[in-house]
Amino acid sequence: MKQKLTLILSSWAALLLLSGLFSNTAHAQSDQRTKDYNNNGWYMYIGDHKVSDKWSIHTEVQFRRYNIIKDPQQLLIRPGINYDLSPTAMITLGYAFIETHPYGDYPAAGIFPEHRPYQQLQLKGNLGRVGLTHRYRLEQRWIKPANATDYTYLNRARYMLKATLPLAGPTLEEREPFLAVYDEVMIGFGENVRKNIFDQNRLYAALGYKISNTATLELGYLNQIVQKASGDVFEHNHTLQVTLFHNMNFARQE
């Protein structure tokens, strides 16, 4: 138990250190930091659907809106193929399509697309009553700005640590509420990265409800800090996040 607690505390400390280190480095490179405050709403469906004992299909759609729900911000579609290494470890190979619209006080020149293959490792465990998820993701990003004639290639690494706490008992059962928190840091790397090596940080807290053994709903607040490619503009996005998780089992039952 002490070893698990030490590992979790070390992971949170590493997240905070990375976030602070890259944010402060970016700040030191610029004499003045411009802040852009936005109010967004992200409405999401996420599912992992088993097709055999080891294999499953990841499905994900996110409708991201500016001004909570009034204006478009992003459309994200992210399918993938999962393979269970063990009951607590899963790898995923997938692809995401993102369409981003101009928003905020420092908008893009127009609507632009992004094509994003990704590779992911997800580890799950428990610390007493608390459920823990570690997610490690690598992304290869092809982005075509609205005023560009060709795509720009970028790399990004992401790490997320999420904790869930049942509120009605020692374990989370059907028709019971829970609390969820996570922090995710994103780091850009490679020759085309400009001044935003620290890409963004996401800090999240939510109230959840387990609808059934296959479905859960989370309603939460996401504080997102995004450093623009110029390195001078930082978005501070206050985001309502609504997520439906729905995992179906299409595998043949023995």
Side-chain angles (χ1 to χ4, degrees):
M1 179 65 73
K2 289 184 178 180
Q3 290 179 340
K4 286 186 178 181
L5 181 59
T6 300
L7 178 61
I8 299 309
L9 292 176
S10 299
S11 299
W12 281 110
L15 277 172
L16 293 173
L17 179 62
L18 282 171
S19 176
L21 175 63
F22 285 103
S23 180
N24 288 338
T25 300
H27 181 58
Q29 292 172 347
S30 176
D31 293 333
Q32 184 175 3
R33 175 184 295 183
T34 302
K35 295 182 179 181
D36 180 16
Y37 294 94
N38 301 295
N39 296 312
N40 301 326
W42 291 5
Y43 308 96
M44 304 155 54
Y45 166 84
I46 300 174
D48 291 305
H49 312 299
K50 274 191 168 294
V51 294
S52 71
D53 183 50
K54 294 286 188 179
W55 295 92
S56 58
I57 298 173
H58 179 78
T59 56
E60 182 174 347
V61 179
Q62 299 188 20
F63 297 97
R64 298 176 175 178
R65 307 290 294 181
Y66 175 56
N67 290 323
I68 306 298
I69 198 169
K70 180 182 176 183
D71 303 307
Q73 182 197 25
Q74 283 184 324
L75 168 66
L76 184 149
I77 302 171
R78 183 159 42 207
I81 301 296
N82 304 320
Y83 180 77
D84 292 336
L85 299 173
S86 73
T88 60
M90 181 174 70
I91 57 173
T92 303
L93 297 177
Y95 160 82
F97 171 78
I98 300 93
E99 181 181 80
T100 301
H101 293 247
Y103 69 93
D105 293 334
Y106 300 87
I111 300 171
F112 65 90
E114 177 181 345
H115 302 279
R116 186 193 300 172
Y118 68 96
Q119 306 80 44
Q120 180 176 291
L121 171 64
Q122 184 170 279
L123 304 175
K124 291 187 175 182
N126 293 87
L127 182 63
R129 296 173 56 197
V130 180
L132 298 169
T133 300
H134 300 265
R135 190 178 73 192
Y136 308 85
R137 181 183 291 170
L138 287 175
E139 299 173 327
Q140 299 79 49
R141 310 172 66 196
W142 279 268
I143 302 173
K144 188 178 181 182
N147 56 359
T149 58
D150 204 356
Y151 284 85
T152 298
Y153 175 73
L154 298 167
N155 294 290
R156 188 165 66 183
R158 303 169 58 164
Y159 170 62
M160 183 190 77
L161 176 58
K162 182 175 182 179
T164 58
L165 175 66
L167 295 178
T171 60
L172 183 59
E173 306 296 337
E174 290 185 77
R175 297 185 295 277
E176 289 184 356
F178 63 92
L179 294 177
V181 296
Y182 73 68
D183 191 77
E184 183 175 21
V185 63
M186 306 183 191
I187 305 300
F189 64 96
E191 62 179 357
N192 290 326
V193 173
R194 295 169 62 187
K195 296 181 180 180
N196 61 327
I197 295 175
F198 166 78
D199 185 80
Q200 59 179 281
N201 190 82
R202 299 177 180 178
L203 182 62
Y204 169 83
L207 178 65
Y209 184 76
K210 186 170 183 178
I211 302 169
S212 68
N213 283 331
T214 62
T216 59
L217 182 67
E218 290 184 11
L219 175 64
Y221 165 75
L222 175 71
N223 184 280
Q224 181 193 32
I225 300 175
V226 181
Q227 185 181 12
K228 296 282 195 173
S230 65
D232 300 328
V233 177
F234 282 73
E235 289 183 10
H236 292 257
N237 296 326
H238 302 288
T239 304
L240 170 68
Q241 188 166 300
V242 182
T243 309
L244 174 65
F245 298 91
H246 190 208
N247 302 321
M248 295 180 286
N249 189 350
F250 298 108
R252 179 177 298 178
Q253 302 298 312
E254 298 295 336

